[in-house]
mmCIF file of all heavy atoms in Angstrom:
data_model
loop_
_atom_site.group_PDB
_atom_site.id
_atom_site.type_symbol
_atom_site.label_atom_id
_atom_site.label_comp_id
_atom_site.label_asym_id
_atom_site.label_seq_id
_atom_site.Cartn_x
_atom_site.Cartn_y
_atom_site.Cartn_z
ATOM 1 N N ASP A 271 109.913 78.688 91.234
ATOM 2 C CA ASP A 271 111.280 78.290 90.902
ATOM 3 C C ASP A 271 111.688 77.009 91.620
ATOM 4 O O ASP A 271 112.514 76.240 91.113
ATOM 5 C CB ASP A 271 112.268 79.419 91.248
ATOM 6 C CG ASP A 271 112.176 80.589 90.277
ATOM 7 O OD1 ASP A 271 111.549 80.419 89.209
ATOM 8 O OD2 ASP A 271 112.715 81.669 90.585
ATOM 9 N N GLN A 272 111.125 76.779 92.785
ATOM 10 C CA GLN A 272 111.416 75.549 93.528
ATOM 11 C C GLN A 272 110.669 74.347 92.955
ATOM 12 O O GLN A 272 110.933 73.210 93.337
ATOM 13 C CB GLN A 272 111.026 75.723 95.004
ATOM 14 C CG GLN A 272 111.896 76.685 95.782
ATOM 15 C CD GLN A 272 113.257 76.115 96.104
ATOM 16 O OE1 GLN A 272 113.485 74.913 96.011
ATOM 17 N NE2 GLN A 272 114.191 76.979 96.484
ATOM 18 N N GLY A 273 109.713 74.604 92.060
ATOM 19 C CA GLY A 273 108.940 73.519 91.481
ATOM 20 C C GLY A 273 107.799 73.050 92.356
ATOM 21 O O GLY A 273 107.228 71.976 92.117
ATOM 22 N N TRP A 274 107.437 73.839 93.364
ATOM 23 C CA TRP A 274 106.360 73.440 94.271
ATOM 24 C C TRP A 274 104.984 73.688 93.656
ATOM 25 O O TRP A 274 103.990 73.121 94.109
ATOM 26 C CB TRP A 274 106.479 74.181 95.602
ATOM 27 C CG TRP A 274 107.776 73.892 96.314
ATOM 28 C CD1 TRP A 274 108.645 72.863 96.054
ATOM 29 C CD2 TRP A 274 108.352 74.638 97.392
ATOM 30 N NE1 TRP A 274 109.723 72.933 96.898
ATOM 31 C CE2 TRP A 274 109.578 74.000 97.736
ATOM 32 C CE3 TRP A 274 107.968 75.782 98.099
ATOM 33 C CZ2 TRP A 274 110.399 74.484 98.752
ATOM 34 C CZ3 TRP A 274 108.788 76.254 99.109
ATOM 35 C CH2 TRP A 274 109.989 75.598 99.435
ATOM 36 N N LEU A 275 104.925 74.566 92.666
ATOM 37 C CA LEU A 275 103.714 74.815 91.899
ATOM 38 C C LEU A 275 104.106 74.956 90.432
ATOM 39 O O LEU A 275 105.224 75.415 90.125
ATOM 40 C CB LEU A 275 103.008 76.105 92.359
ATOM 41 C CG LEU A 275 102.217 76.075 93.666
ATOM 42 C CD1 LEU A 275 101.717 77.472 94.011
ATOM 43 C CD2 LEU A 275 101.049 75.102 93.597
ATOM 44 N N PRO A 276 103.202 74.603 89.496
ATOM 45 C CA PRO A 276 103.526 74.784 88.078
ATOM 46 C C PRO A 276 103.557 76.266 87.705
ATOM 47 O O PRO A 276 102.976 77.110 88.387
ATOM 48 C CB PRO A 276 102.383 74.052 87.371
ATOM 49 C CG PRO A 276 101.259 74.057 88.343
ATOM 50 C CD PRO A 276 101.895 73.968 89.704
ATOM 51 N N SER A 277 104.245 76.577 86.622
ATOM 52 C CA SER A 277 104.404 77.973 86.206
ATOM 53 C C SER A 277 103.075 78.629 85.857
ATOM 54 O O SER A 277 102.969 79.862 85.861
ATOM 55 C CB SER A 277 105.354 78.059 85.008
ATOM 56 O OG SER A 277 104.865 77.301 83.920
ATOM 57 N N THR A 278 102.040 77.831 85.556
ATOM 58 C CA THR A 278 100.718 78.384 85.253
ATOM 59 C C THR A 278 100.104 79.077 86.463
ATOM 60 O O THR A 278 99.131 79.821 86.331
ATOM 61 C CB THR A 278 99.769 77.279 84.772
ATOM 62 O OG1 THR A 278 99.785 76.198 85.719
ATOM 63 C CG2 THR A 278 100.181 76.758 83.407
ATOM 64 N N ARG A 279 100.674 78.834 87.644
ATOM 65 C CA ARG A 279 100.123 79.419 88.865
ATOM 66 C C ARG A 279 100.969 80.577 89.381
ATOM 67 O O ARG A 279 100.779 81.044 90.509
ATOM 68 C CB ARG A 279 99.990 78.350 89.941
ATOM 69 C CG ARG A 279 99.157 77.155 89.471
ATOM 70 C CD ARG A 279 98.236 76.668 90.512
ATOM 71 N NE ARG A 279 97.385 75.582 90.023
ATOM 72 C CZ ARG A 279 96.334 75.112 90.664
ATOM 73 N NH1 ARG A 279 95.997 75.644 91.824
ATOM 74 N NH2 ARG A 279 95.615 74.139 90.176
ATOM 75 N N LEU A 280 101.873 81.060 88.555
ATOM 76 C CA LEU A 280 102.740 82.174 88.957
ATOM 77 C C LEU A 280 101.989 83.495 88.864
ATOM 78 O O LEU A 280 101.457 83.857 87.815
ATOM 79 C CB LEU A 280 103.987 82.226 88.069
ATOM 80 C CG LEU A 280 104.896 83.455 88.246
ATOM 81 C CD1 LEU A 280 105.451 83.509 89.660
ATOM 82 C CD2 LEU A 280 106.018 83.432 87.219
ATOM 83 N N VAL A 281 101.969 84.222 89.970
ATOM 84 C CA VAL A 281 101.403 85.565 90.004
ATOM 85 C C VAL A 281 102.567 86.555 89.934
ATOM 86 O O VAL A 281 103.462 86.527 90.773
ATOM 87 C CB VAL A 281 100.588 85.797 91.287
ATOM 88 C CG1 VAL A 281 100.056 87.231 91.324
ATOM 89 C CG2 VAL A 281 99.437 84.802 91.384
ATOM 90 N N GLY A 282 102.553 87.423 88.949
ATOM 91 C CA GLY A 282 103.635 88.391 88.826
ATOM 92 C C GLY A 282 103.782 88.875 87.407
ATOM 93 O O GLY A 282 103.081 88.431 86.491
ATOM 94 N N LYS A 283 104.707 89.788 87.221
ATOM 95 C CA LYS A 283 104.907 90.396 85.907
ATOM 96 C C LYS A 283 105.281 89.367 84.861
ATOM 97 O O LYS A 283 104.907 89.475 83.695
ATOM 98 C CB LYS A 283 105.984 91.481 85.993
ATOM 99 C CG LYS A 283 106.163 92.286 84.731
ATOM 100 C CD LYS A 283 106.850 93.601 84.995
ATOM 101 C CE LYS A 283 108.264 93.425 85.501
ATOM 102 N NZ LYS A 283 108.965 94.720 85.630
ATOM 103 N N SER A 284 106.045 88.344 85.254
ATOM 104 C CA SER A 284 106.415 87.286 84.313
ATOM 105 C C SER A 284 105.446 86.115 84.345
ATOM 106 O O SER A 284 105.651 85.122 83.658
ATOM 107 C CB SER A 284 107.838 86.791 84.607
ATOM 108 O OG SER A 284 107.953 86.354 85.947
ATOM 109 N N GLY A 285 104.377 86.247 85.148
ATOM 110 C CA GLY A 285 103.343 85.218 85.204
ATOM 111 C C GLY A 285 102.014 85.796 84.782
ATOM 112 O O GLY A 285 101.872 86.303 83.677
ATOM 113 N N LYS A 286 101.039 85.766 85.686
ATOM 114 C CA LYS A 286 99.707 86.263 85.356
ATOM 115 C C LYS A 286 99.288 87.377 86.307
ATOM 116 O O LYS A 286 99.646 87.380 87.485
ATOM 117 C CB LYS A 286 98.678 85.133 85.409
ATOM 118 C CG LYS A 286 98.770 84.164 84.243
ATOM 119 C CD LYS A 286 97.557 83.265 84.179
ATOM 120 C CE LYS A 286 97.596 82.404 82.912
ATOM 121 N NZ LYS A 286 96.391 81.557 82.779
ATOM 122 N N SER A 287 98.530 88.314 85.750
ATOM 123 C CA SER A 287 97.871 89.315 86.575
ATOM 124 C C SER A 287 96.525 88.753 87.012
ATOM 125 O O SER A 287 95.841 88.087 86.230
ATOM 126 C CB SER A 287 97.669 90.605 85.783
ATOM 127 O OG SER A 287 98.911 91.195 85.471
ATOM 128 N N VAL A 288 96.161 89.016 88.249
ATOM 129 C CA VAL A 288 94.926 88.454 88.794
ATOM 130 C C VAL A 288 94.093 89.557 89.420
ATOM 131 O O VAL A 288 94.614 90.605 89.815
ATOM 132 C CB VAL A 288 95.233 87.357 89.841
ATOM 133 C CG1 VAL A 288 95.983 86.195 89.215
ATOM 134 C CG2 VAL A 288 96.033 87.922 91.014
ATOM 135 N N LYS A 289 92.800 89.340 89.528
ATOM 136 C CA LYS A 289 91.911 90.304 90.174
ATOM 137 C C LYS A 289 90.762 89.569 90.858
ATOM 138 O O LYS A 289 89.590 89.763 90.514
ATOM 139 C CB LYS A 289 91.397 91.336 89.174
ATOM 140 C CG LYS A 289 90.975 90.797 87.824
ATOM 141 C CD LYS A 289 90.633 91.946 86.886
ATOM 142 C CE LYS A 289 90.310 91.435 85.500
ATOM 143 N NZ LYS A 289 90.015 92.531 84.562
ATOM 144 N N PRO A 290 91.096 88.717 91.825
ATOM 145 C CA PRO A 290 90.056 87.979 92.548
ATOM 146 C C PRO A 290 89.313 88.881 93.518
ATOM 147 O O PRO A 290 89.754 89.998 93.822
ATOM 148 C CB PRO A 290 90.863 86.909 93.292
ATOM 149 C CG PRO A 290 92.169 87.574 93.553
ATOM 150 C CD PRO A 290 92.439 88.406 92.332
ATOM 151 N N SER A 291 88.215 88.383 94.025
ATOM 152 C CA SER A 291 87.515 89.131 95.072
ATOM 153 C C SER A 291 88.306 89.086 96.376
ATOM 154 O O SER A 291 88.280 90.037 97.158
ATOM 155 C CB SER A 291 86.113 88.561 95.276
ATOM 156 O OG SER A 291 86.173 87.169 95.555
ATOM 157 N N VAL A 292 89.030 87.968 96.608
ATOM 158 C CA VAL A 292 89.890 87.848 97.792
ATOM 159 C C VAL A 292 91.242 87.280 97.373
ATOM 160 O O VAL A 292 91.312 86.235 96.716
ATOM 161 C CB VAL A 292 89.272 86.922 98.865
ATOM 162 C CG1 VAL A 292 90.233 86.753 100.035
ATOM 163 C CG2 VAL A 292 87.938 87.473 99.346
ATOM 164 N N TYR A 293 92.307 87.993 97.734
ATOM 165 C CA TYR A 293 93.670 87.527 97.474
ATOM 166 C C TYR A 293 94.373 87.411 98.822
ATOM 167 O O TYR A 293 94.637 88.408 99.494
ATOM 168 C CB TYR A 293 94.421 88.501 96.569
ATOM 169 C CG TYR A 293 95.797 88.005 96.153
ATOM 170 C CD1 TYR A 293 95.939 87.146 95.071
ATOM 171 C CD2 TYR A 293 96.949 88.397 96.841
ATOM 172 C CE1 TYR A 293 97.186 86.683 94.679
ATOM 173 C CE2 TYR A 293 98.193 87.935 96.457
ATOM 174 C CZ TYR A 293 98.312 87.082 95.373
ATOM 175 O OH TYR A 293 99.547 86.615 94.990
ATOM 176 N N LEU A 294 94.636 86.174 99.232
ATOM 177 C CA LEU A 294 95.286 85.909 100.516
ATOM 178 C C LEU A 294 96.767 85.659 100.262
ATOM 179 O O LEU A 294 97.144 84.636 99.685
ATOM 180 C CB LEU A 294 94.624 84.709 101.193
ATOM 181 C CG LEU A 294 95.095 84.321 102.595
ATOM 182 C CD1 LEU A 294 94.966 85.500 103.550
ATOM 183 C CD2 LEU A 294 94.286 83.147 103.120
ATOM 184 N N ALA A 295 97.613 86.598 100.667
ATOM 185 C CA ALA A 295 99.055 86.519 100.421
ATOM 186 C C ALA A 295 99.742 85.940 101.650
ATOM 187 O O ALA A 295 99.821 86.585 102.699
ATOM 188 C CB ALA A 295 99.610 87.900 100.102
ATOM 189 N N LEU A 296 100.275 84.741 101.520
ATOM 190 C CA LEU A 296 100.896 84.036 102.636
ATOM 191 C C LEU A 296 102.409 84.035 102.481
ATOM 192 O O LEU A 296 102.952 83.405 101.574
ATOM 193 C CB LEU A 296 100.389 82.594 102.684
ATOM 194 C CG LEU A 296 98.876 82.390 102.761
ATOM 195 C CD1 LEU A 296 98.533 80.913 102.665
ATOM 196 C CD2 LEU A 296 98.311 82.994 104.042
ATOM 197 N N GLY A 297 103.099 84.747 103.358
ATOM 198 C CA GLY A 297 104.557 84.758 103.313
ATOM 199 C C GLY A 297 105.122 85.383 102.058
ATOM 200 O O GLY A 297 106.199 85.008 101.606
ATOM 201 N N ILE A 298 104.403 86.334 101.489
ATOM 202 C CA ILE A 298 104.841 87.049 100.289
ATOM 203 C C ILE A 298 105.251 88.458 100.697
ATOM 204 O O ILE A 298 104.460 89.190 101.313
ATOM 205 C CB ILE A 298 103.714 87.099 99.237
ATOM 206 C CG1 ILE A 298 103.427 85.685 98.713
ATOM 207 C CG2 ILE A 298 104.069 88.021 98.093
ATOM 208 C CD1 ILE A 298 102.239 85.603 97.781
ATOM 209 N N SER A 299 106.469 88.857 100.358
ATOM 210 C CA SER A 299 106.973 90.161 100.805
ATOM 211 C C SER A 299 106.302 91.320 100.079
ATOM 212 O O SER A 299 106.047 92.368 100.660
ATOM 213 C CB SER A 299 108.486 90.239 100.613
ATOM 214 O OG SER A 299 108.828 90.132 99.241
ATOM 215 N N GLY A 300 106.010 91.140 98.785
ATOM 216 C CA GLY A 300 105.369 92.215 98.026
ATOM 217 C C GLY A 300 106.331 92.971 97.138
ATOM 218 O O GLY A 300 106.298 94.206 97.083
#
């Protein structure tokens, strides 16, 4: 929403579901 990344990189219900081997969540509440 701040425009720091394009919407194609949104992880979430309104973005994309992901299943990487490693998901590093930085400053994400969950």
Side-chain angles (χ1 to χ4, degrees):
D271 287 346
Q272 291 286 344
W274 299 344
L275 284 174
S277 59
T278 52
R279 305 221 176 192
L280 172 62
V281 178
K283 187 160 64 175
S284 56
K286 287 193 174 183
S287 294
V288 298
K289 43 186 176 182
S291 55
V292 176
Y293 186 84
L294 184 56
L296 304 175
I298 293 174
S299 63

